């Protein structure tokens, strides 16, 4: 039946009202003459309403005469009538076309630049660079040459190992992967002779020299800057001096201390739940703050509803909501034992972040002290870490012997 | 005589398993719950109002009593009535 309905809708139909005394006769005549009537509804003894196709209406004229009724067309329904009605309303059609046009037009621009990076890359720098290249919010999509931009970014930013640029709708999505340095620090010039010196105080645990001569022993206490592996190699037999790029690991026991202070009696701000709102209307750079009287709180925290608007940021009109939450200052005395426990966790986590990555913790010692109103936590970590640091040898000092070597070799 | 022909038709229909409504020209009435009613092989409407519809058929007038009934559609062979149907009678 739905198909018939649809068919009728596309073909167009009329709702007719028949008035007369012999309505049953009219219906029968219509049925016999193959005029399809539907939704026949009797209103009262002399009137009924029915739906009939456009073609059927013409055929009904004869039947009406035979049955002695009167026919009124109440309304015309269906697609053909709808179209003819729309034809009269030109502005509507123009508006429709215009809306579609505007949507097409607007979607041909970039309205949002999204940078997805894995590391802590300086995104602002990249955005600045993109802006300089002419890629900013509001440019046409067709301007962007993805391949070229990719190459440019890779050339400009050495830290970026991989770039993928995607245009998704009106979003420009830049995916980045930072270069990770697995190998040794590239800033070290391997051809330059150097010494390894201590970067901090410590007790030597183990020495592994890959190049150069170790000048310290296990158990020795070294000061900061003390020579550990020398790059000046002297042969016992010959008195020539050879300069090498010293390399090796010096593992030493070092100590690391850290303290944090936490007041036992603490003043905190507690929200009371009372709120006060005000609105600020922003037009361009100017703003009007609409306030309904003064803020009725003595102490409060202000929250500004400052959300990222993306596309709408172009419109120089904005309503900012300020929210004021009333707070009460409260002094609370904290339980020393639980404070100690929490400080223990905090200081350990904090210190673990600060210590060098490849070090090994041998022991941990935390002490607590109370002083006036404060609880002081002191942590001492015993670490085993590589304390070696490269120090280049000034070659000028040894220039002469080197020449000698060459001469010797020639001989 | 007419009755004899009628009986013969009936037995032929039974033997050959032909639809009786066609052979015997009887109305076929199908109801969906009490909300819709199909009548095939009708012979025209006698009376039509929202509460009462009378339809002519070979075996007599079919009277349908109900509420808010409308004729959904009508062609020469078939009629569809919807609404709250309460009662159907052959009179």
């Amino acid at each position: 039946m739905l198909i018939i309905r649809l068919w009728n809708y596309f073909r167009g139909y009329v709702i007719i009202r028949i008035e007369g005394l012999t309505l049953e006769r009219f219906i029968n005549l219509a049925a016999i003459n193959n005029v399809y009537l539907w939704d026949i509804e009797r209103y009262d003894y002399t009137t009924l309403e029915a739906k009939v196709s456009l073609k059927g209406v013409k055929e009904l004229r004869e039947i009406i005469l035979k049955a002695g009724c009167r026919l009124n067309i109440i309304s015309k329904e269906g697609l053909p009538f709808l179209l003819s009605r729309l034809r009269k309303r030109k502005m509507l059609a123009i508006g429709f076309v215009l809306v579609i046009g505007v949507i097409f037009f607007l979607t041909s621009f970039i309205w949002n630049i999204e940078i997805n990076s894995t590391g802590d890359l300086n995104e602002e720098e990249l955005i600045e660079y993109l802006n300089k290249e002419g890629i900013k919010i509001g440019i046409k999509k067709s301007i962007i040459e993805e391949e070229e931009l990719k190459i440019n970014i890779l050339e400009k930013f050495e830290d970026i190992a991989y770039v993928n640029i995607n245009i998704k709708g009106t979003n420009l999505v830049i995916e980045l992967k930072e270069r990770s340095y697995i190998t040794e620090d590239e800033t070290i010039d391997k051809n330059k002779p150097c010494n390894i010196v201590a970067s901090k105080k410590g007790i030597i645990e183990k020495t592994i020299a890959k190049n150069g001569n170790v000048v310290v022993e296990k158990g020795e206490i070294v000061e900061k800057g003390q020579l550990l592996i020398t790059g000046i190699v002297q042969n016992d037999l010959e008195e020539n001096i050879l300069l090498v790029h010293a390399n090796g690991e010096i593992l030493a026991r070092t100590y690391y201390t850290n303290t944090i202070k936490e007041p036992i009696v603490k003043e905190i701000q507690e929200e009371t739940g009372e709120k006060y709102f005000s609105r600020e209307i922003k037009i361009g750079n100017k703003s009007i703050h609409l306030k309904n009287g003064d803020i009725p709180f003595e102490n409060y925290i202000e929250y500004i509803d400052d959300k990222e608007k993306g596309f709408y940021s172009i419109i120089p009109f904005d309503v900012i909501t300020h929210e004021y939450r009333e707070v009460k200052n409260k002094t609370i005395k904290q339980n020393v034992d639980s404070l100690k426990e929490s400080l223990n966790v905090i200081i350990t986590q904090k210190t673990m972040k600060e210590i060098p990555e490849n070090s090994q913790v041998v022991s941990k010692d935390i002490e607590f002290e109370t002083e006036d109103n404060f609880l002081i936590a002191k942590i001492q970590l015993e670490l085993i870490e590589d304390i070696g640091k490269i120090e280049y040898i000034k070659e000028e000092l040894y220039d002469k012997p080197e020449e000698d070597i060459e001469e010797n070799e020639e001989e | 005589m007419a009755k004899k022909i009628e009986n013969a038709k009936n037995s032929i229909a039974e033997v050959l398993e032909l639809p009786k409504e066609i052979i015997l020209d009887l109305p076929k009435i199908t109801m969906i719950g009490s909300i819709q009613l199909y009548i095939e092989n009708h012979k025209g409407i006698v009376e039509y109002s929202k509460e009462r519809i009378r339809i002519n058929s070979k075996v007599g007038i079919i009277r349908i009593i109900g509420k808010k009934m409308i004729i959904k559609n009508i062609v020469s062979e078939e009629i569809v009535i919807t609404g709250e149907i309460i009662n159907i009678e052959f009179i």
Side-chain angles (χ1 to χ4, degrees):
Chain A
M1 273 331 202
L2 181 74
I3 293 192
I4 294 170
R5 289 267 176 85
L6 273 177
W7 175 248
N8 286 327
Y9 180 79
F10 282 116
R11 290 289 302 273
Y13 61 90
V14 289
I15 299 175
I16 50 170
R17 171 173 287 172
I18 317 290
E19 280 169 287
L21 288 167
T22 54
L23 293 175
E24 284 84 8
R25 188 169 143 77
F26 164 76
I27 295 170
N28 289 335
L29 282 171
I32 289 161
N33 287 305
N34 280 327
V35 178
Y36 183 65
L37 293 174
W38 71 96
D39 288 355
I40 305 163
E41 206 175 340
R42 185 97 184 219
Y43 280 90
D44 53 52
Y45 189 67
T46 57
T47 48
L48 66 78
E49 271 183 29
K51 290 174 184 167
V52 66
S53 67
L54 277 181
K55 216 177 106 197
V57 161
K58 282 169 200 156
E59 290 172 25
L60 276 182
R61 305 260 175 219
E62 278 178 42
I63 297 163
I64 289 291
L65 288 177
K66 263 191 209 169
C69 301
R70 228 182 13 217
L71 182 142
N72 287 320
I73 291 171
I74 295 174
S75 71
K76 298 166 180 173
E77 308 273 329
L79 201 63
F81 296 112
L82 191 73
L83 284 179
S84 70
R85 242 174 284 157
L86 281 180
R87 229 169 280 151
K88 285 176 202 154
R89 301 177 62 180
K90 287 207 175 84
M91 280 320 284
L92 189 75
I94 291 169
F96 188 69
V97 171
L98 217 66
V99 164
I100 289 176
V102 166
I103 289 169
F104 264 98
F105 178 69
L106 287 177
T107 50
S108 67
F109 294 99
I110 293 291
W111 292 119
N112 189 21
I113 295 176
E114 197 182 315
I115 295 173
N116 295 335
S117 68
T118 48
D120 38 47
L121 191 93
N122 194 350
E123 289 185 8
E124 277 171 27
E125 222 169 88
L126 182 63
I127 290 168
E128 210 171 273
Y129 171 74
L130 288 175
N131 285 349
K132 218 172 72 190
E133 289 283 302
I135 289 156
K136 48 190 147 191
I137 289 167
I139 62 150
K140 282 203 88 166
K141 274 191 214 166
S142 54
I143 289 174
I144 299 168
E145 282 172 39
E146 292 170 35
E147 290 304 316
E148 206 184 306
L149 190 63
K150 265 189 217 172
I151 294 165
N152 284 346
I153 289 173
L154 286 176
E155 271 177 6
K156 173 85 185 177
F157 295 92
E158 284 182 348
D159 288 345
I160 296 170
Y162 163 82
V163 171
N164 191 23
I165 293 169
N166 258 329
I167 296 172
K168 283 182 186 164
T170 58
N171 288 357
L172 177 71
V173 181
I174 300 174
E175 275 172 58
L176 300 173
K177 272 251 158 65
E178 261 184 289
R179 196 182 292 281
S180 58
Y181 298 103
I182 305 162
T183 52
E184 288 165 59
D185 199 347
E186 282 173 19
T187 54
I188 295 170
D189 186 354
K190 281 205 163 176
N191 297 322
K192 256 180 162 178
C194 67
N195 293 325
I196 301 281
V197 299
S199 63
K200 57 176 82 166
K201 216 165 107 176
I203 305 163
I204 304 297
E205 275 288 316
K206 202 176 182 185
T207 58
I208 307 157
K210 290 174 188 156
N211 210 354
N213 284 345
V214 181
V215 293
V216 287
E217 276 175 22
K218 189 188 167 182
E220 205 177 321
I221 299 165
V222 291
E223 293 295 322
K224 188 183 175 186
Q226 197 179 331
L227 189 65
L228 301 174
I229 305 174
T230 177
I232 306 161
V233 182
Q234 200 164 14
N235 202 318
D236 284 342
L237 300 170
E238 296 163 36
E239 284 185 357
N240 294 326
I241 292 166
L242 208 62
L243 296 179
V244 295
H245 178 88
N247 191 4
E249 264 179 48
I250 304 290
L251 296 178
R253 199 174 281 266
T254 57
Y255 294 95
Y256 200 93
T257 57
N258 206 347
T259 57
I260 49 170
K261 251 179 165 183
E262 183 70 26
I264 295 169
V265 177
K266 204 170 156 188
E267 199 162 83
I268 58 155
Q269 292 187 313
E270 201 182 51
E271 286 185 21
T272 59
E274 292 292 314
K275 286 175 188 174
Y276 176 79
F277 294 97
S278 74
R279 289 205 164 76
E280 188 181 347
I281 294 172
K282 230 176 172 179
I283 302 163
N285 290 327
K286 286 173 184 152
S287 68
I288 307 162
H289 203 147
L290 303 172
K291 261 191 207 167
N292 187 13
D294 281 336
I295 299 153
F297 312 130
E298 212 174 306
N299 299 306
Y300 57 84
I301 307 172
E302 185 179 357
Y303 293 92
I304 296 171
D305 177 24
D306 200 12
K307 50 189 182 285
E308 192 75 30
K309 285 185 297 298
F311 171 75
Y312 297 104
S313 61
I314 285 177
I315 301 164
F317 177 82
D318 195 14
V319 178
I320 298 166
T321 309
H322 293 253
E323 185 181 343
Y324 302 95
R325 292 187 190 164
E326 190 184 16
V327 290
K328 248 187 209 163
N329 288 335
K330 244 191 180 176
T331 52
I332 43 164
K333 192 167 190 289
Q334 299 184 76
N335 187 331
V336 177
D337 285 332
S338 63
L339 191 61
K340 271 182 187 173
E341 251 171 58
S342 68
L343 277 186
N344 192 340
V345 175
I346 292 167
I347 199 167
T348 310
Q349 280 178 347
K350 198 177 150 197
T351 316
M352 283 302 174
K353 269 183 208 159
E354 284 173 13
I355 61 170
E357 260 177 52
N358 51 1
S359 60
Q360 195 188 340
V361 179
V362 180
S363 73
K364 185 183 90 174
D365 191 23
I366 298 174
E367 277 174 23
F368 292 101
E369 261 176 52
T370 42
E371 193 184 285
D372 297 336
N373 185 24
F374 291 99
L375 185 72
I376 300 165
K378 275 186 191 168
I379 190 169
Q380 188 175 45
L381 287 179
E382 205 176 331
L383 305 175
I384 290 187
E385 61 172 315
D386 185 4
I387 58 166
K389 194 177 78 177
I390 282 170
E391 194 180 70
Y392 292 114
I393 301 167
K394 283 176 186 143
E395 286 181 63
E396 305 90 56
L397 295 172
Y398 303 96
D399 265 354
K400 264 185 188 169
E402 246 182 298
E403 277 167 23
D404 287 344
I405 298 164
E406 281 166 23
E407 277 168 25
N408 286 344
E409 280 171 342
E410 276 166 30
E411 278 167 19
Chain B
M1 188 64 195
K3 209 169 188 189
K4 270 188 183 169
I5 294 169
E6 211 54 33
N7 283 338
K9 271 187 187 175
N10 197 1
S11 44
I12 290 167
E14 237 157 57
V15 168
L16 299 176
E17 287 184 4
L18 290 169
K20 280 181 189 165
E21 74 267 18
I22 293 168
I23 302 293
L24 301 177
D25 197 23
L26 294 173
K28 183 186 181 186
I29 302 173
T30 314
M31 268 187 95
I32 299 173
S34 64
I35 57 163
Q36 200 166 43
L37 180 77
Y38 289 84
I39 301 172
E40 283 168 53
N41 264 333
H42 68 91
K43 298 266 182 277
I45 294 169
V46 178
E47 188 196 348
Y48 170 37
S49 72
K50 278 185 180 173
E51 283 77 34
R52 189 167 61 180
I53 298 174
R54 283 193 289 155
I55 293 164
N56 209 353
S57 76
K58 175 91 182 294
V59 290
I61 288 169
I62 302 162
R63 184 167 67 189
I64 302 143
I65 310 287
K67 284 177 191 162
K68 293 176 201 162
M69 291 191 294
I70 63 168
I71 297 176
K72 201 75 192 157
N73 61 53
I74 178 166
V75 287
S76 57
E77 295 287 293
E78 189 191 287
I79 181 164
V80 181
I81 294 162
T82 59
E84 276 179 53
I85 294 154
I86 295 168
N87 191 2
I88 304 173
E89 284 173 300
F90 288 92
I91 44 176

